[in-house]
Amino acid sequence: MSFTVPDGVAWAIVGALSLVLAGRFLLVRETVVDYLVNRLLLCSLFGLLLYRWPEAGPFAGVVELLAIGCVVLSTTYFLGIARVEGPHEEMGRVRRRERRHCSIALASTAVILFAGWSADAKGLPLDFGIGWQGWLLALAIGGPVAVIMALFAMRGLRELRSSIAVEKLVAFGLLAVNLFIWTNQLLSASELMFGRPELGPHLPRIEWIFTVCVAADGLLVTLPLAAALIDAAKLDSASRSCRRLHMLWRDLTEAVPEIVMTPDVDNGSDGRLFRMIVEIRDAILHLGPYLPPLHDSLGEHRGELDRFAYRLALAIAARKAGASPENRRSAEPLGLSARDFDADLRQLRELSRAWVRMRSARMPSIESARPTLSPPPGTGPAGLK
């Protein structure tokens, strides 16, 4: 076996791919595409390990042919990805297609082993174009790979129309990998037909091409893994916003527990953030009739949101104490209606900061407030400590 990839580089790729695969098996396995990508990486890792089999070891020639079979097998998973009809397609259909695609790879591997056995029996070196065995070998490898990657490229072109930047980046990367494979296939075909360019034996180049493609694919699939790791560590933007809204959300939902929604499933940090925003808004609307009017004693709280946070604390105290609502108008409490999600989030984050300031300034305790909404001017908020 002729190695074209240095051992240090190959083992570094094997180690990195093993870490990526372990992370994806733990964190990225929700959709059928995730399932197929993980199987693709597993076959690729197995192929790389077979290529590391010592040249002088037992069954070296057979192991090299099995490694080439793994190249074809891993390629069939691209065909499976290209034929996925949706992220939540029935897994039974996906696995039936997977078995059919793997049978193509197994048939190709059987042909590769037969060609190698026949060439060895006749004392011929095994390579493309050397005897009928070499032509059979070229057909068994190049035919499935060329057809599958062409079908997969068509899927990649469709993904380029997606509005999601990450999907476009992955599609561009996979199309670049396709172009690299096709270029090498064209060079090999030209060398077979015309003897130009003179690139040397074909089989060692398959290992080099395979290793480069596996490294590129592994790099691309780390993007969703990195996103999953950030989400698991709660370092994404939605999780940070949830933490900033938590104190305000906790106090409001404790005061108005009937508005708390119980989701059937965990929709991740984005779902939690959306639910918190809705619940905060609903709680404020329920507390609207209890909001005291503005008066001079609130003047020390200069910011609009600081004054509103102070009044909101009084409204919570009044509702808990069983006071009758006096603000019959029940107008929009913040005086602003959110026109979109981002504007709503910015406004509530500012209110949450004002709420934290109000709580940290040792403002009167909302639990000990008297059941009154409008304390006499000059006396300060009733019952707050």
Side-chain angles (χ1 to χ4, degrees), residues 25-307:
F25 271 125
L26 289 173
L27 299 173
V28 189
R29 54 182 182 178
E30 289 80 14
T31 67
V32 293
V33 173
D34 294 332
Y35 167 82
L36 293 171
V37 168
N38 293 343
R39 291 298 185 96
L40 164 65
L41 294 179
L42 186 61
C43 293
S44 300
L45 179 62
F46 189 56
L48 290 176
L49 290 174
L50 288 177
Y51 269 120
R52 292 302 98 200
W53 191 275
E55 184 176 3
F59 312 108
V62 174
V63 171
E64 179 179 14
L65 298 181
L66 289 175
I68 297 172
C70 275
V71 174
V72 181
L73 177 61
S74 62
T75 305
T76 60
Y77 279 95
F78 285 103
L79 178 59
I81 295 170
R83 297 185 61 187
V84 169
E85 297 176 0
H88 302 290
E89 185 181 1
E90 182 187 353
M91 186 58 72
R93 296 182 59 188
V94 174
R95 286 185 173 138
R96 286 193 294 271
R97 285 201 303 264
E98 180 187 9
R99 287 193 291 269
R100 290 196 296 268
H101 298 159
C102 289
S103 66
I104 297 173
L106 291 176
S108 175
T109 303
V111 172
I112 292 169
L113 290 172
F114 172 74
W117 169 80
S118 179
D120 185 64
K122 294 186 177 182
L124 295 174
L126 184 63
D127 200 13
F128 290 179
I130 301 178
W132 63 266
Q133 297 90 348
W135 289 99
L136 184 62
L137 183 68
L139 181 62
I141 299 172
V145 171
V147 173
I148 290 171
M149 298 311 291
L151 294 173
F152 183 74
M154 295 171 61
R155 171 66 182 265
L157 290 173
R158 291 199 302 270
E159 292 296 333
L160 287 177
R161 296 194 293 269
S162 170
S163 60
I164 302 176
V166 174
E167 290 184 2
K168 288 184 178 181
L169 178 61
V170 173
F172 271 120
L174 292 175
L175 286 175
V177 171
N178 269 358
L179 184 61
F180 175 72
I181 293 174
W182 290 338
T183 300
N184 282 280
Q185 285 189 316
L186 288 174
L187 290 174
S188 294
S190 176
E191 185 178 9
L192 278 175
M193 298 296 183
F194 311 109
R196 294 287 186 276
E198 296 181 2
L199 300 175
H202 295 264
L203 292 188
R205 288 206 308 277
I206 292 179
E207 181 203 355
W208 179 74
I209 296 168
F210 177 63
T211 304
V212 171
C213 291
V214 169
D217 293 338
L219 182 62
L220 289 172
V221 298
T222 55
L223 294 176
L225 175 60
L229 287 171
I230 291 173
D231 185 60
K234 300 189 181 303
L235 297 176
D236 57 300
S237 176
S239 295
R240 293 197 303 271
S241 294
C242 287
R243 287 195 295 272
R244 290 167 181 165
L245 295 177
H246 183 264
M247 181 180 291
L248 174 65
W249 170 82
R250 181 197 63 197
D251 291 342
L252 291 179
T253 53
E254 284 179 356
V256 193
E258 62 269 21
I259 54 90
V260 176
M261 298 181 290
T262 304
D264 296 331
V265 294
D266 185 7
N267 295 320
S269 56
D270 290 327
R272 290 192 297 273
L273 177 61
F274 179 78
R275 192 171 71 250
M276 288 178 72
I277 289 176
V278 171
E279 290 174 354
I280 290 172
R281 282 287 185 182
D282 286 348
I284 291 175
L285 287 173
H286 278 73
L287 292 169
Y290 296 91
L291 283 174
L294 285 170
H295 49 77
D296 294 340
S297 63
L298 299 176
E300 61 190 77
H301 305 284
R302 301 182 183 279
E304 177 185 359
L305 288 176
D306 290 270
R307 290 195 298 271

Side-chain angles (χ1 to χ4, degrees), residues 303-322:
E304 177 185 359
L305 288 176
D306 290 270
R307 290 195 298 271
F308 179 76
Y310 198 65
R311 294 170 64 212
L312 194 58
L314 291 173
I316 291 174
R319 192 177 194 273
K320 285 185 175 182

